[in-house]
């Protein structure tokens, strides 16, 4: 399985992308990685790989792409620019069928625009939606979408997001009947904006969907719903707030146990449980957001992702390749019919 990686996006530069991709290869030897970026810089990063990851270098090839999409560039500017960047090279490789999935930690708006142009959409979808998994109280996960690709969303788009999220939860996670909720300021039928109210009407017509109606924000974490749909403005705010809360809780717990000698003793005894809690809450484990609706697999890694975070993004891409998610979306959404 070949994964194309835009190695130049992200806050930590190519080091996190190269080491993260190498780590993913060590965990899954069936992976081959194509690294896009300035060849000299990427070769240097490969030469600096920690000893446990050195063996992965044989499964990683560098493709020279001298340009870099800056985080402050507007999508329209990137679309008009020369297609010599690491991001455009990665997507062109994917469009030619030379890789089965692409991963980037770069400019989200540019990635959306370039991916849509390079790969096209499935089943009449007009724009991709960004979705990621959120850990829940019942040791499962809930898919939240959209996370920022579509800030203002009409009812038909929300309906399409629900269909895509349901297919992903069913095909990728093997859930027989994923439960779908529409995020609102209350569960009462009279609340919410016009687009949310209309989306509720459309979703109630989808008899094949396990639609629960309106849900509030706490439902994302309760385990009572498997897919939560909202517009990109709300979704992005919810995601960033939940990541910040998770980090704060872990730090507060650590600080509490380190505050006094007796607390440190209890903390030492509770170390396995604390390590498990830290792992369950760490947003790094859930890094890798899917750009749903594209006629191809593109994973957006968090811009601040470190080596471990980028590893998870590559692993997410590989998982979607295994299940051929775009083909599943095309088949099922084509049968149901997009209304947008």
């Amino acid at each position: 399985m070949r994964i194309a990686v835009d190695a130049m996006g992200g806050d930590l530069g190519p080091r996190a992308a190269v080491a993260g991709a190498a780590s993913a290869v060590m965990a899954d030897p069936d992976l081959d990685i194509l690294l896009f970026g300035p060849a000299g810089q990427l070769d240097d990063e490969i030469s600096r790989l920690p000893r446990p990851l050195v063996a992965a270098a044989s499964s990683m090839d560098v493709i020279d792409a001298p340009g870099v999409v800056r985080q402050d560039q507007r999508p329209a500017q990137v679309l008009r620019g020369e297609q010599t960047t690491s991001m455009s090279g990665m997507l062109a490789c994917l469009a030619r069928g030379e890789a089965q999935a692409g991963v980037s930690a770069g400019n989200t708006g540019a990635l959306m625009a370039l991916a849509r142009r390079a790969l096209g959409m499935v089943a009449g979808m007009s724009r991709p939606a960004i979705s990621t998994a959120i850990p829940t109280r019942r040791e499962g996960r809930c898919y939240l979408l959209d996370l920022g690709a579509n800030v203002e969303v009409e009812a038909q788009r929300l309906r399409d997001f629900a269909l895509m999220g349901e297919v992903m939860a069913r095909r990728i996670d093997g859930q027989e009947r994923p439960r779908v909720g529409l995020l609102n300021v209350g569960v009462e039928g009279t609340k919410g904006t016009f687009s949310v109210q209309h989306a509720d009407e459309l979703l109630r017509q989808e008899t094949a969907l396990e639609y629960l109606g309106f849900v509030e924000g706490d439902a994302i974490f309760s385990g009572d719903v498997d897919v939560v749909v909202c517009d990109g403005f709300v979704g992005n705010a919810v995601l960033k707030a939940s990541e910040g809360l998770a980090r704060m809780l872990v730090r507060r717990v650590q600080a509490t146990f380190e505050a006094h000698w007796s607390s440190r003793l209890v903390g030492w005894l509770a170390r396995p449980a604390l390590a498990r809690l830290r792992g369950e809450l760490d947003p790094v484990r859930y890094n890798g957001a899917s750009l749903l609706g594209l006629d191809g697999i593109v994973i957006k890694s968090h811009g601040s992702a470190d080596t471990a975070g980028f590893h998870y993004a590559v692993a997410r891409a590989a998982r979607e390749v295994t299940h051929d998610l775009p083909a599943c979306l095309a088949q099922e959404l084509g049968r149901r019919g997009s209304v947008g």
Side-chain angles (χ1 to χ4, degrees):
M1 183 187 302
R2 183 170 292 165
I3 309 293
V5 171
D6 166 20
M8 302 307 296
D11 301 341
L12 302 180
R15 181 162 300 178
V18 172
S23 176
V25 169
M26 296 302 293
D28 183 358
D30 291 332
L31 290 181
D32 288 318
I33 304 293
L34 298 178
L35 295 169
F36 287 81
Q41 196 170 352
L42 297 186
D43 287 335
D44 286 344
E45 293 297 343
I46 291 175
S47 70
R48 295 193 187 101
L49 284 172
R51 185 177 296 275
L53 302 180
V54 168
S58 62
S59 297
M60 301 169 67
D61 293 316
V62 171
I63 311 298
D64 188 39
V68 177
V69 175
R70 302 191 314 274
Q71 288 290 351
D72 62 350
Q73 283 186 275
R74 294 183 177 276
Q77 180 185 7
V78 177
L79 285 171
R80 291 193 302 268
E82 294 185 8
Q83 301 305 300
T84 59
T85 65
S86 55
M87 185 182 290
S88 61
M90 176 271 287
L91 291 168
C93 171
L94 190 56
R96 292 192 300 266
E98 297 169 1
Q100 285 75 54
V103 182
S104 174
N107 182 318
T108 303
L111 181 63
M112 294 284 295
L114 289 174
R116 184 181 174 193
R117 183 173 70 180
L119 303 174
M121 305 295 296
V122 299
M125 294 290 154
S126 63
R127 286 176 56 84
I130 303 176
S131 176
T132 197
I134 305 290
T136 66
R137 188 177 62 203
R138 297 179 182 175
E139 299 185 357
R141 55 185 173 186
C142 173
Y143 286 104
L144 178 66
L145 68 162
D146 179 41
L147 298 177
N150 308 271
V151 175
E152 295 182 3
V153 184
E154 58 191 16
Q156 290 86 351
R157 293 277 73 72
L158 292 172
R159 177 261 194 185
D160 287 348
F161 295 170
L163 296 182
M164 289 195 293
E166 190 269 348
V167 171
M168 181 166 65
R170 182 158 39 83
R171 293 299 188 107
I172 300 295
D173 292 346
Q175 299 184 28
E176 187 173 347
R177 282 184 66 82
R179 299 156 298 175
V180 179
L182 185 61
L183 193 61
N184 199 357
V185 294
V187 297
E188 299 87 351
T190 58
K191 291 189 174 181
T193 62
F194 173 77
S195 61
V196 170
Q197 291 278 340
H198 187 200
D200 176 65
E201 296 174 4
L202 294 175
L203 287 168
R204 292 188 183 280
Q205 298 171 20
E206 297 291 333
T207 56
L209 204 67
E210 188 72 14
Y211 176 58
L212 304 184
F214 294 142
V215 296
E216 295 181 271
D218 60 339
I220 299 170
F221 310 98
S222 69
D224 295 327
V225 64
D226 304 302
V227 178
V228 171
V229 178
C230 58
D231 65 55
F233 184 92
V234 171
N236 190 271
V238 168
L239 177 66
K240 297 298 173 59
S242 65
E243 290 176 345
L245 176 62
R247 292 190 180 98
M248 185 201 72
L249 288 174
V250 170
R251 289 168 184 162
R252 284 287 183 90
V253 170
Q254 290 176 329
T256 298
F257 282 116
E258 293 170 359
H260 190 265
W261 70 266
S262 59
S263 299
R264 288 196 291 273
L265 176 60
V266 174
W268 183 82
L269 294 172
R271 187 181 300 173
L274 292 175
R276 186 169 60 252
L277 175 65
R278 187 184 302 112
E280 290 173 354
L281 294 180
D282 190 353
V284 166
R285 285 187 60 202
Y286 300 90
N287 184 48
S290 306
L291 271 60
L292 291 179
L294 291 171
D295 191 12
I297 296 170
V298 177
I299 301 297
K300 173 64 174 71
S301 172
H302 201 298
S304 62
D306 58 8
T307 295
F310 206 88
H311 171 138
Y312 282 108
V314 174
R316 177 71 198 186
R319 192 174 184 187
E320 293 193 7
V321 171
T322 299
H323 293 275
D324 199 2
L325 184 58
C328 295
L329 289 171
Q331 177 185 6
E332 298 207 23
L333 298 180
R335 185 176 68 249
R336 292 176 179 179
S338 168
V339 294

